[in-house]
Amino acid sequence: MKNTEELGRKIQELRLRNDLSLRGLAEISGVSYSFINSIEKNRFNGSRQTIIALADALDGADKTELLLLAGFAPEDELVADHEILYDPDVQFIARSKKEMSPKDFQHMMELAKKAKEMFADED
């Protein structure tokens, strides 16, 4: 669940706990200090790679938590098999996302999750 305010607070808290200035964290992470400041102040949301770079640079950071706060899926939920992208069913879902309103697509995904849970309960 995306929560950029909490993400900014968490990154700032971790940075201070690591006794790092904005420039110090920028040096370690490779993310510009002005962009880190913008994330901390909830002016911008970083990309997935930016969040991972910050998490890797901060001792005590929970990468999964930061990714979730930024609105990204945790790394362990990503599918590494690129061949799955060519599956007709996956292509149908991708086309549906483009053709449906965000609200309708979210509803479709909620139904898919409920169906998955229902079938898992049958096992």
Side-chain angles (χ1 to χ4, degrees):
M1 179 183 311
K2 190 172 186 176
N3 186 340
T4 54
E5 280 185 42
E6 181 63 25
L7 173 68
R9 279 194 296 272
K10 190 71 175 174
I11 288 174
Q12 183 177 45
E13 173 189 314
L14 287 163
R15 179 176 61 77
L16 295 174
R17 197 179 313 153
N18 280 260
D19 198 30
L20 291 169
S21 65
L22 286 167
R23 288 184 192 270
L25 179 55
E27 196 172 299
I28 295 169
S29 68
V31 178
S32 75
Y33 75 90
S34 60
F35 196 71
I36 297 169
N37 186 51
S38 294
I39 293 171
E40 288 184 1
K41 302 294 184 204
N42 194 31
R43 288 190 291 255
F44 292 107
N45 190 26
S47 69
R48 176 181 191 75
Q49 287 309 112
T50 298
I51 301 304
I52 290 171
L54 292 172
D56 288 344
L58 292 164
D59 288 336
D62 181 339
K63 192 182 302 185
T64 297
E65 177 188 19
L66 294 180
L67 285 168
L68 288 170
L69 288 172
F72 299 111
E75 286 187 312
D76 60 354
E77 289 185 13
L78 295 178
V79 176
D81 182 6
H82 296 288
E83 289 184 24
I84 196 168
L85 297 175
Y86 300 104
D87 183 286
D89 294 331
V90 173
Q91 289 296 311
F92 170 78
I93 293 169
R95 281 191 307 279
S96 297
K97 184 168 177 65
K98 287 175 62 176
E99 297 166 358
M100 298 172 82
S101 72
K103 183 178 179 181
D104 288 344
F105 185 77
Q106 181 180 7
H107 184 68
M108 183 179 91
M109 293 305 295
E110 288 169 6
L111 290 172
K113 288 176 187 174
K114 287 179 184 176
K116 181 182 174 189
E117 290 170 5
M118 182 179 76
F119 294 129
D121 289 343
E122 290 179 1
D123 291 340

